[in-house]
């Protein structure tokens, strides 16, 4: 928003599509023959590396919007975006003692599922 003045568009691949409460469990429950055998939560820091690597990583999500800004005449859109990103990481504690950037306290749900085999699959 700081770069464009408006909310970012929904990305083509939404990394948060399954982040809702019980979103995955509801999909499993709706799938005949599939059961959850094991479940755990994992909290971790997502290492981004130096400033250039952190910016390149962000292009997975922001790239299409940045490309549109460049096509619309904002030639330095990527550089401006990266500057904003690095400032946000630094002010939120996302710079490690070694000087590399990271996104702190990500949480992932890990599930081991099993599908009952049918006679034709045996």
């Amino acid at each position: 928003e700081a770069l464009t003045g408006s909310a970012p568009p929904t990305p083509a691949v939404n990394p948060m599509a399954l982040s809702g409460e019980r979103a995955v469990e509801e999909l499993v429950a709706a799938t005949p023959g599939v059961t959850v055998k094991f479940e755990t939560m994992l909290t971790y820091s997502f290492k981004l590396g130096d400033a250039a690597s952190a910016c390149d990583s962000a292009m997975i999500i922001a790239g299409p919007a940045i490309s549109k800004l460049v096509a619309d005449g904002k030639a330095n859109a990527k550089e401006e975006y990266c500057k904003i990103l690095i400032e946000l990481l630094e002010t939120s504690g996302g710079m490690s003692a070694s000087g590399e950037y990271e996104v702190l306290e990500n949480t992932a749900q890990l599930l081991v599922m099993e599908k009952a085999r049918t006679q034709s699959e045996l």
Side-chain angles (χ1 to χ4, degrees), residues 50-122:
D50 62 14
S53 294
C55 183
D56 287 344
S57 296
M59 291 302 112
I60 295 168
I61 301 298
I66 298 297
S67 294
K68 183 176 181 334
L69 287 169
V70 170
D72 290 346
K74 193 166 189 71
N76 63 343
K78 182 177 179 183
E79 292 78 12
E80 287 184 41
Y81 176 86
C82 291
K83 181 180 178 207
I84 294 165
L85 173 68
I86 296 304
E87 287 173 2
L88 284 171
L89 287 169
E90 289 175 354
T91 59
S92 67
M95 180 183 257
S96 68
S98 67
E100 297 206 329
Y101 296 93
E102 57 190 342
V103 178
L104 303 172
E105 298 185 21
N106 295 281
T107 302
Q109 179 184 26
L110 303 178
L111 299 172
V112 175
M113 296 174 271
E114 180 177 75
K115 180 179 184 260
R117 293 185 181 157
T118 63
Q119 186 63 34
S120 65
E121 294 175 317
L122 295 175

Side-chain angles (χ1 to χ4, degrees), residues 1 4-5 11 18-19 31 49-50 73 78 89 102 108:
E1 282 185 47
T4 64
L18 296 175
S19 66
T31 306
D50 62 14
K78 182 177 179 183
L89 287 169
E102 57 190 342

